[in-house]
Amino acid sequence: MHTHHNALGLASALRPVQPVTLIRPLAARRAARFFVEKFLGRSLYAVKANPSPDLLKELWDSGITHYDVASIAEVRLVAETLPDAVLCFMHPVKAEEAIAEAYLRYGVRTFSLDTMEELEKIVTATGGATDLNLLVRIRVSSDHSKLSLAAKFGAEPDEMKALLIAARQAADALGICFHVGSQAMTPAAYAEAMERVRAAIVAAAVTVDIVDVGGGFPSSYPGMEPPPLTLYFETIHRAFEDLPISYSAELWCEPGRALCAEYASLVVRVEKRRGDTLYINDGAYGALFDAAHVGWRFPVKLLREPESEVRDMAFSFYGPTCDDLDHMAGPFLLPADVKAGDYLEIGMLGAYGCAMRTRFNGFGSDLTVVAEDEPMASLYLGDAEERAVPSNVVTL
Ligand SMILES: *Cc1c(COP(=O)(O)O)cnc(C)c1O
């Protein structure tokens, strides 16, 4: 894979006709080490956020040994890429065939569930195995998060007692898991969820061996700058210490976004300008699904030398397909003299950007290069107060 110092260097050297993905392995390593060192428990990487084998290897090399997988294809991918990784099948609704293959062929021992039917399915598919870690998923509020995960999965608090008691009988280790929703903007989301966990444990009066606080750890985007991650960890550690569980119980988390958002950005070309709208060569069916469908704003930068001195103005983007839905409202702030033929870097696309690309309408490309500079924003540059901010990083 080619290496360039930064996006400007790449755009100047290659003048690429297709969008190019820029990856920053050091940013992924830094995020992984942060979780490994500062989260006082086990950090599982949620593979759906970005299943790139190159990224999986960086995370493994940085100490991430456990992987949250949600489909049999993710099980196979991680097992083939990282043969020694521990896989945890954390989708609460699985095909029986997928459970059987994961258990028998890939040695998966950890499964989540939120109904009695799923528990029976797991027991049947594993032939009544006695070596299972079973995590019962409880529904919690997504009120503090930018993307809800509250509607689809999770047992209601009043269903938890029967589920925990039944799962206790089938499990070697019993756990409770939840997901506060993606991009949780305050640690209070976890404190509130842990209160539900406490109530469920007290009501069921069972021994709980694992508490898994799920994903939701934020990253930094324009207009969505979260508090430092250490505050999230402190809140979770404190709540965990207060739970009525055994001294040897384990604390787990499942970060997706927080481990990979900074890993990738995209270099695109402006193909046309119409007023304050730029037609660019990637969009809603490419890496910009969230920008189009949930109004997410990503940091943008004009790649031009010498730098434009013109003041910024707000732009929206159209992607390359023939579809009106291929529209990213932004606002994206760029120098007012941006024009067709210019290149832009769109940052923070390592999570749920690159992973969701399609080839709809014949657009999109796999061209990937390594960049050596800092990502366009970072939550891992030291404590907020004493942060040394490189010139290309958005200050929080
Ligand atoms: C998507 C998902 C995650 C990762 O969520 P992030 O918000 O990216 O941290 C973790 N656990 C489960 C069960 C998920 O579905």
Side-chain angles (χ1 to χ4, degrees):
M1 214 178 288
H2 288 288
T3 298
H4 289 268
H5 177 56
N6 57 21
L8 176 62
L10 163 99
S12 312
L14 298 189
R15 315 297 302 165
V17 176
Q18 302 285 345
V20 180
T21 303
L22 234 54
I23 57 170
R24 293 184 171 86
L26 292 177
R29 286 173 168 269
R30 181 168 62 194
R33 282 198 308 271
F34 188 92
F35 270 82
V36 168
E37 286 165 17
K38 296 192 196 296
F39 184 80
L40 303 180
R42 198 182 292 296
S43 299
L44 286 59
Y45 172 55
V47 172
K48 79 169 183 291
N50 187 333
S52 144
D54 290 326
L55 171 63
L56 294 175
K57 288 177 199 151
E58 296 293 347
L59 297 177
W60 172 265
D61 288 344
S62 309
I64 302 288
T65 55
H66 288 52
Y67 293 78
D68 162 1
V69 286
S71 61
I72 194 63
E74 287 184 356
V75 171
R76 294 176 192 141
L77 170 75
V78 181
E80 276 152 31
T81 311
L82 308 172
D84 296 323
V86 179
L87 307 184
C88 303
F89 209 150
M90 301 306 287
H91 193 308
V93 184
K94 297 169 283 298
E96 198 167 312
E97 295 85 347
I99 299 168
E101 182 178 336
Y103 181 82
L104 296 169
R105 172 123 195 244
Y106 293 101
V108 177
R109 293 294 175 266
T110 304
F111 298 89
S112 80
L113 60 110
D114 62 2
T115 58
M116 288 291 184
E117 292 74 23
E118 187 74 10
L119 176 59
E120 282 158 26
K121 213 194 281 173
I122 294 168
V123 169
T124 307
T126 61
T130 56
D131 56 355
L132 299 175
N133 305 322
L134 296 180
L135 283 84
V136 181
R137 177 145 161 190
I138 184 171
R139 187 190 303 262
V140 298
S141 157
S142 273
D143 288 353
H144 298 297
S145 301
K146 293 293 177 183
L147 294 173
S148 173
L149 277 86
K152 194 166 176 181
F153 301 128
E156 294 297 340
D158 63 1
E159 301 166 332
M160 284 297 288
K161 180 176 177 179
L163 266 176
L164 284 171
I165 291 170
R168 177 73 273 175
Q169 281 161 4
D172 178 27
L174 174 66
I176 300 183
C177 61
F178 58 79
H179 198 302
V180 297
S182 205
Q183 185 76 1
M185 292 304 289
T186 161
Y190 295 88
E192 290 169 20
M194 289 294 248
E195 275 311 305
R196 291 212 186 177
V197 171
R198 154 191 294 286
I201 296 172
V202 169
V206 291
T207 303
V208 167
D209 310 297
I210 301 161
V211 174
D212 176 353
V213 301
F217 298 95
S219 195
S220 182
Y221 304 89
M224 289 197 288
E225 287 90 359
L229 282 174
T230 46
L231 290 186
Y232 290 73
F233 293 178
E234 282 163 22
T235 302
I236 292 165
H237 296 155
R238 214 176 306 125
F240 179 70
E241 291 301 321
D242 284 347
L243 288 177
I245 47 179
S246 82
Y247 182 72
S248 58
E250 291 183 21
L251 175 64
W252 294 8
C253 69
E254 306 166 353
R257 178 186 305 283
L259 287 182
C260 60
E262 300 177 16
Y263 175 66
S265 64
L266 197 67
V267 171
V268 299
R269 189 165 73 176
V270 178
E271 303 294 6
K272 162 182 165 169
R273 173 172 175 175
R274 190 179 76 188
D276 58 3
T277 305
L278 303 179
Y279 293 62
I280 60 176
N281 61 355
D282 199 76
Y285 299 93
L288 297 173
F289 182 97
D290 281 341
H293 296 292
V294 285
W296 214 275
R297 291 172 58 207
F298 293 93
V300 292
K301 188 163 66 180
L302 174 59
L303 305 174
R304 199 197 282 167
E305 214 165 35
E307 249 176 62
S308 171
E309 312 243 305
V310 180
R311 76 189 188 295
D312 282 350
M313 62 176 265
F315 288 92
S316 64
F317 296 156
Y318 271 124
T321 69
C322 304
D323 182 342
D324 271 6
L325 279 177
D326 194 357
H327 178 249
M328 284 64 63
F332 301 102
L333 298 180
L334 287 163
D337 65 345
V338 59
K339 58 184 192 307
D342 277 332
Y343 287 90
L344 311 177
E345 180 176 16
I346 308 177
M348 311 300 283
L349 287 169
Y352 307 111
C354 297
M356 294 203 279
R357 279 188 292 219
T358 74
R359 289 303 184 109
F360 177 52
N361 224 172
F363 295 100
S365 89
D366 292 326
L367 199 54
T368 302
V369 306
V370 175
E372 298 169 324
D373 64 342
E374 286 290 340
M376 290 172 79
S378 181
L379 283 184
Y380 301 103
L381 288 170
D383 296 324
E385 314 83 63
E386 52 186 17
R387 206 166 266 169
V389 183
S391 60
N392 64 338
V393 170
V394 178
T395 312
L396 305 185

Coordinates of all heavy atoms in Angstrom, one line a residue, residues 123-156:
V123 N -29.2 -23.3 23.2 CA -29.0 -24.6 23.8 C -29.1 -25.7 22.8 O -28.3 -26.6 22.8 CB -30.1 -24.8 25.0 CG1 -30.1 -26.2 25.5 CG2 -29.8 -23.8 26.1
T124 N -30.2 -25.7 21.9 CA -30.3 -26.7 20.9 C -29.1 -26.7 20.0 O -28.6 -27.8 19.7 CB -31.6 -26.5 20.1 OG1 -32.7 -26.3 21.1 CG2 -31.9 -27.6 19.2
A125 N -28.8 -25.5 19.4 CA -27.7 -25.5 18.4 C -26.4 -25.9 18.9 O -25.5 -26.4 18.1 CB -27.6 -24.1 17.8
T126 N -26.1 -25.8 20.2 CA -24.9 -26.2 20.8 C -24.9 -27.6 21.4 O -24.0 -28.0 22.1 CB -24.4 -25.2 21.8 OG1 -25.3 -25.1 22.9 CG2 -24.2 -23.8 21.2
G127 N -26.0 -28.3 21.2 CA -26.2 -29.6 21.8 C -26.2 -29.6 23.3 O -25.6 -30.5 23.9
G128 N -26.8 -28.6 23.9 CA -26.8 -28.5 25.4 C -25.5 -28.3 26.0 O -25.2 -28.9 27.1
A129 N -24.7 -27.5 25.4 CA -23.3 -27.3 25.9 C -23.3 -26.7 27.3 O -24.2 -26.0 27.7 CB -22.6 -26.3 24.9
T130 N -22.3 -27.1 28.0 CA -22.2 -26.6 29.4 C -21.0 -25.6 29.6 O -20.7 -25.3 30.7 CB -21.9 -27.8 30.4 OG1 -20.8 -28.5 29.9 CG2 -23.1 -28.7 30.4
D131 N -20.5 -25.2 28.5 CA -19.3 -24.2 28.6 C -19.6 -22.9 28.0 O -18.8 -22.2 27.4 CB -18.1 -24.9 27.9 CG -18.3 -25.2 26.5 OD1 -19.5 -25.1 26.0 OD2 -17.4 -25.6 25.8
L132 N -20.9 -22.4 28.1 CA -21.3 -21.2 27.5 C -21.2 -20.0 28.4 O -21.5 -20.1 29.6 CB -22.7 -21.3 27.0 CG -23.0 -22.4 25.9 CD1 -24.5 -22.5 25.7 CD2 -22.2 -22.2 24.6
N133 N -20.8 -18.9 27.8 CA -21.0 -17.6 28.5 C -22.3 -17.0 27.8 O -22.3 -16.7 26.6 CB -19.9 -16.6 28.2 CG -18.5 -17.2 28.6 OD1 -18.4 -17.9 29.6 ND2 -17.5 -16.9 27.8
L134 N -23.3 -16.8 28.6 CA -24.6 -16.3 28.1 C -24.8 -14.9 28.7 O -24.9 -14.7 29.9 CB -25.7 -17.2 28.4 CG -25.6 -18.6 27.8 CD1 -26.8 -19.5 28.2 CD2 -25.5 -18.5 26.2
L135 N -25.0 -13.9 27.8 CA -25.2 -12.5 28.2 C -26.6 -12.1 27.8 O -27.0 -12.2 26.6 CB -24.2 -11.6 27.6 CG -22.8 -11.6 28.2 CD1 -22.0 -12.7 27.7 CD2 -22.1 -10.3 28.1
V136 N -27.4 -11.8 28.8 CA -28.8 -11.4 28.6 C -28.8 -9.9 28.4 O -28.3 -9.1 29.2 CB -29.7 -11.7 29.8 CG1 -31.1 -11.3 29.5 CG2 -29.6 -13.2 30.1
R137 N -29.4 -9.5 27.2 CA -29.4 -8.0 26.9 C -30.6 -7.4 27.4 O -31.8 -7.8 27.2 CB -29.3 -7.9 25.4 CG -29.4 -6.4 25.0 CD -28.5 -6.1 23.8 NE -28.9 -4.9 23.1 CZ -28.4 -4.5 21.9 NH1 -27.6 -5.3 21.3 NH2 -28.8 -3.4 21.4
I138 N -30.4 -6.3 28.2 CA -31.5 -5.5 28.8 C -31.7 -4.3 28.0 O -30.7 -3.7 27.5 CB -31.2 -5.2 30.3 CG1 -32.4 -4.5 30.9 CG2 -29.9 -4.4 30.4 CD1 -32.3 -4.4 32.5
R139 N -32.9 -3.9 27.8 CA -33.2 -2.7 27.1 C -32.9 -1.5 28.0 O -33.3 -1.4 29.1 CB -34.7 -2.6 26.7 CG -35.1 -1.5 25.8 CD -36.6 -1.4 25.6 NE -37.2 -2.6 25.1 CZ -37.4 -2.8 23.8 NH1 -37.2 -1.9 22.9 NH2 -38.0 -4.0 23.4
V140 N -32.2 -0.5 27.4 CA -31.9 0.7 28.1 C -32.3 1.9 27.2 O -32.5 1.7 26.0 CB -30.4 0.8 28.6 CG1 -30.1 -0.3 29.6 CG2 -29.5 0.8 27.4
S141 N -32.3 3.1 27.8 CA -32.6 4.3 27.1 C -31.5 4.7 26.1 O -30.3 4.5 26.4 CB -32.9 5.4 28.1 OG -32.7 6.7 27.5
S142 N -31.9 5.2 25.0 CA -30.9 5.8 24.0 C -31.0 7.3 24.0 O -30.5 8.0 23.1 CB -31.2 5.3 22.6 OG -30.6 4.1 22.3
D143 N -31.6 7.9 25.1 CA -31.9 9.3 25.1 C -30.6 10.2 25.0 O -30.7 11.3 24.5 CB -32.6 9.7 26.4 CG -34.0 9.2 26.4 OD1 -34.5 8.7 25.4 OD2 -34.7 9.3 27.5
H144 N -29.5 9.7 25.4 CA -28.3 10.5 25.4 C -27.4 10.3 24.2 O -26.3 10.8 24.1 CB -27.4 10.2 26.7 CG -28.1 10.5 28.0 ND1 -28.5 11.8 28.3 CD2 -28.5 9.7 29.0 CE1 -29.1 11.8 29.5 NE2 -29.1 10.6 29.9
S145 N -28.0 9.5 23.2 CA -27.1 9.1 22.1 C -27.7 9.6 20.8 O -28.8 9.9 20.7 CB -27.1 7.5 22.0 OG -26.6 7.0 23.2
K146 N -26.8 9.8 19.8 CA -27.1 10.4 18.5 C -27.9 9.4 17.7 O -28.6 9.7 16.8 CB -25.9 10.9 17.8 CG -25.3 12.1 18.5 CD -26.2 13.3 18.5 CE -25.6 14.5 19.3 NZ -26.5 15.7 19.3
L147 N -27.5 8.1 17.8 CA -28.2 7.0 17.1 C -28.8 6.0 18.0 O -28.1 5.4 18.8 CB -27.2 6.3 16.1 CG -26.6 7.2 15.0 CD1 -25.5 6.4 14.3 CD2 -27.6 7.6 14.0
S148 N -30.1 5.8 18.0 CA -30.8 5.0 18.9 C -30.5 3.5 18.6 O -30.5 3.1 17.5 CB -32.3 5.2 18.9 OG -33.0 4.3 19.7
L149 N -30.4 2.7 19.7 CA -30.4 1.3 19.5 C -31.4 0.7 20.6 O -31.2 -0.4 21.1 CB -29.0 0.7 19.8 CG -28.0 0.7 18.6 CD1 -27.3 2.0 18.4 CD2 -27.1 -0.5 18.6
A150 N -32.4 1.5 20.9 CA -33.3 1.1 22.0 C -34.5 0.4 21.6 O -35.1 -0.3 22.3 CB -33.7 2.4 22.8
A151 N -34.9 0.5 20.3 CA -36.2 0.0 19.9 C -36.1 -1.5 19.5 O -37.1 -2.2 19.7 CB -36.7 0.8 18.7
K152 N -35.0 -1.9 19.0 CA -35.0 -3.2 18.3 C -34.7 -4.4 19.3 O -35.3 -5.4 19.2 CB -33.9 -3.1 17.2 CG -33.9 -4.2 16.2 CD -33.1 -3.8 15.0 CE -33.0 -4.9 14.0 NZ -32.1 -4.4 12.9
F153 N -33.7 -4.2 20.1 CA -33.2 -5.3 21.0 C -33.3 -5.0 22.4 O -33.3 -3.8 22.8 CB -31.8 -5.7 20.6 CG -31.6 -6.1 19.2 CD1 -30.6 -5.5 18.5 CD2 -32.3 -7.1 18.6 CE1 -30.4 -5.8 17.1 CE2 -32.1 -7.4 17.3 CZ -31.1 -6.8 16.5
G154 N -33.3 -6.0 23.2 CA -33.2 -5.9 24.7 C -34.5 -6.3 25.3 O -35.6 -5.9 24.9
A155 N -34.4 -7.1 26.4 CA -35.5 -7.5 27.2 C -36.0 -6.4 28.1 O -35.2 -5.6 28.5 CB -35.2 -8.7 28.1
E156 N -37.3 -6.3 28.3 CA -37.8 -5.2 29.2 C -37.4 -5.6 30.6 O -37.2 -6.8 30.9 CB -39.3 -5.2 29.1 CG -39.9 -4.8 27.8 CD -39.5 -3.3 27.4 OE1 -39.2 -2.6 28.3 OE2 -39.6 -3.0 26.2

